[in-house]
Amino acid sequence: MIQPRLLTRRLFQQASPLQSLSNHAGRPIRTSILRSQARRSYAASGEKGPRPIPGQSPFKIWPFLAIILAGSGSYMLLVKSRTDMAAAAQASKSSGQIAAPKKDTPTFSSDKVTVVFVLGGPGAGKGTQCANLVRDYNFTHLSAGDLLRAEQDRPGSEFGQLIKDYIKDGAIVPMEVTVQLLENAMTETLSKTKDGKGRFLIDGFPRKLDQAVKFEESVCKAKFVLFYDCPEDVMEKRLLKRGETSGRTDDNAESIKKRFKTFVETSMPVVDTYDKEGKVVKVVANKSPEDVYAETKKKIEGRI
Ligand SMILES: Nc1ncnc2c1ncn2[C@@H]1O[C@H](COP(=O)(O)OP(=O)(O)OP(=O)(O)O)[C@@H](O)[C@H]1O
Ligand SMILES: O=c1ccn([C@@H]2O[C@H](COP(=O)(O)O)[C@@H](O)[C@H]2O)c(=O)[nH]1
């Protein structure tokens, strides 16, 4: 079980969204100060404005335009940052904690801990195949989606509503939340071993390049990526069928469409990036579960 206190404490050891908020938030105020300073310095000469140079306009408009543009840019950044991290910022405020410096040594050494990322479109069969791998290879299965749903349902979670909204929309939850949930779950599993060694299937993560970088920098290097390749129409049928009993808020036609879009636009670039590094093991997933597993086994032998 994830320990709520541990999650909350560790989440705020990450870069604080509040820091960037206050930086951005300062800008519009600064803009108005600059404006009033400009007005004051003109007035100090005892004139209504600067003495015009012949042939030049007496009104210097460019500095004002630059200030207004900078102010608007900062404001747009502020709005985006606030939308993404509203819940985290709120919690950060109330915790009053100062962000720790960026962590660049992974918590777990890949000498002791093996991480395999399991990727594929929604409904490709990742969870189904992970269950087989757990049985046969002594892996611990950590589904990022399951961890997020558990955090969403945890009474008192500051992130519950945020996670709920992101999942329903097929969008990707801010990475600080997911990376921390994964690290906590890994810590808990490894704390039960004598030698601190373990093998993890991290299912449905990373779904975005920044998550991949963050996880490998701060938690553990990944050994390889197991990628289940499946056509959309097949995945859609599977998900609609699953939706009849799953109770998942995103197993419906509207959410499935959004999840596919997110997968193609945001998650496939992760697979492509690892592929360029020779780290992707691709398995055709449009077959019976048994056949998919047979191909999986054949392709991972020698890599684990
Ligand atoms: N090879 C297969 N052939 C037919 N049905 C399958 C196959 N693999 C999985 N399924 C079924 O399809 C549905 C989705 O499978 P699963 O949950 O394993 O996919 P997933 O990739 O983990 O999905 P998600 O990303 O949405 O969590 C399930 O109902 C499962 O029983
Ligand atoms: O790293 C992640 C993993 C998942 N999510 C969100 O959860 C849902 C469901 O994920 P499944 O893997 O299908 O269980 C996904 O659509 C995302 O909204 C995430 O944000 N980050």
Side-chain angles (χ1 to χ4, degrees):
M1 238 209 28
I2 298 157
Q3 292 182 2
R5 286 229 318 277
L6 180 64
L7 169 70
T8 314
R9 181 161 50 83
R10 298 300 298 275
L11 269 173
F12 300 118
Q13 286 171 358
Q14 309 293 314
S16 163
L18 211 58
Q19 272 192 328
S20 62
L21 283 179
S22 60
N23 287 344
H24 294 314
R27 290 280 183 81
I29 296 163
R30 182 113 198 93
T31 305
S32 61
I33 290 171
L34 283 174
R35 277 201 196 116
S36 64
Q37 276 173 349
R39 269 202 302 274
R40 255 186 269 127
S41 65
Y42 282 169
S45 69
E47 297 172 10
K48 285 204 161 57
R51 196 187 296 276
I53 299 165
Q56 264 192 10
S57 162
F59 302 108
K60 287 194 175 141
I61 196 149
W62 292 113
F64 293 103
L65 272 179
I67 289 164
I68 289 163
L69 280 174
S72 312
S74 304
Y75 181 70
M76 299 293 278
L77 278 174
L78 167 67
V79 169
K80 190 183 177 315
S81 160
R82 277 201 172 143
T83 310
D84 278 359
M85 301 300 293
Q90 187 51 45
S92 234
K93 254 186 222 163
S94 52
S95 77
Q97 293 200 26
I98 297 161
K102 186 173 168 288
K103 187 172 160 245
D104 26 52
T105 313
T107 303
F108 308 111
S109 153
S110 41
D111 294 341
K112 283 188 158 188
V113 175
T114 301
V115 164
V116 175
F117 290 145
V118 183
L119 296 179
K126 303 180 292 294
T128 303
Q129 298 306 325
C130 282
N132 293 328
L133 292 164
V134 166
R135 182 192 62 222
D136 295 344
Y137 294 92
N138 196 28
F139 274 107
T140 296
H141 175 210
L142 296 179
S143 153
D146 284 351
L147 289 170
L148 286 167
R149 282 183 285 273
E151 177 63 17
Q152 171 199 296
D153 296 339
R154 185 175 65 79
S157 168
E158 284 149 306
F159 302 100
Q161 191 57 47
L162 174 118
I163 294 171
K164 201 172 184 173
D165 295 343
Y166 272 79
I167 288 184
K168 182 115 195 289
D169 251 3
I172 295 164
V173 173
M175 66 170 172
E176 282 77 7
V177 176
T178 318
V179 170
Q180 198 58 62
L181 287 169
L182 285 167
E183 183 173 347
N184 289 353
M186 289 173 73
T187 303
E188 190 172 318
T189 301
L190 292 167
S191 71
K192 292 175 192 148
T193 65
K194 282 197 183 119
D195 53 7
K197 287 186 180 171
R199 282 176 158 181
F200 294 93
L201 294 168
I202 310 264
D203 168 4
F205 177 95
R207 276 173 138 92
K208 202 172 170 186
L209 276 169
D210 63 356
Q211 289 182 329
V213 172
K214 176 93 180 161
F215 185 93
E216 293 214 47
E217 262 177 18
S218 66
V219 182
C220 192
K221 281 249 155 240
K223 193 150 193 179
F224 64 90
V225 175
L226 190 50
F227 171 56
Y228 288 101
D229 193 17
C230 197
E232 258 185 29
D233 57 336
V234 175
M235 296 193 289
E236 187 185 19
K237 266 189 212 132
R238 289 180 186 174
L239 291 176
L240 288 172
K241 181 97 194 89
R242 189 177 71 182
E244 289 169 14
T245 53
S246 68
R248 277 179 58 160
T249 56
D250 57 350
D251 276 351
N252 58 73
E254 198 188 334
S255 295
I256 291 169
K257 211 166 147 197
K258 292 178 181 171
R259 290 160 75 192
F260 285 164
K261 189 170 187 297
T262 303
F263 176 70
V264 171
E265 291 175 0
T266 313
S267 306
M268 262 321 280
V270 178
V271 178
D272 295 338
T273 302
Y274 279 116
D275 199 23
K276 284 187 193 122
E277 294 172 16
K279 286 179 90 174
V280 171
V281 173
K282 184 166 147 180
V283 175
V284 176
N286 182 18
K287 297 184 289 189
S288 73
E290 296 74 27
D291 287 349
V292 176
Y293 188 52
E295 186 182 337
T296 303
K297 276 181 89 164
K298 209 161 104 190
K299 292 206 167 151
I300 63 167
E301 291 292 346
R303 287 197 87 138
I304 50 170

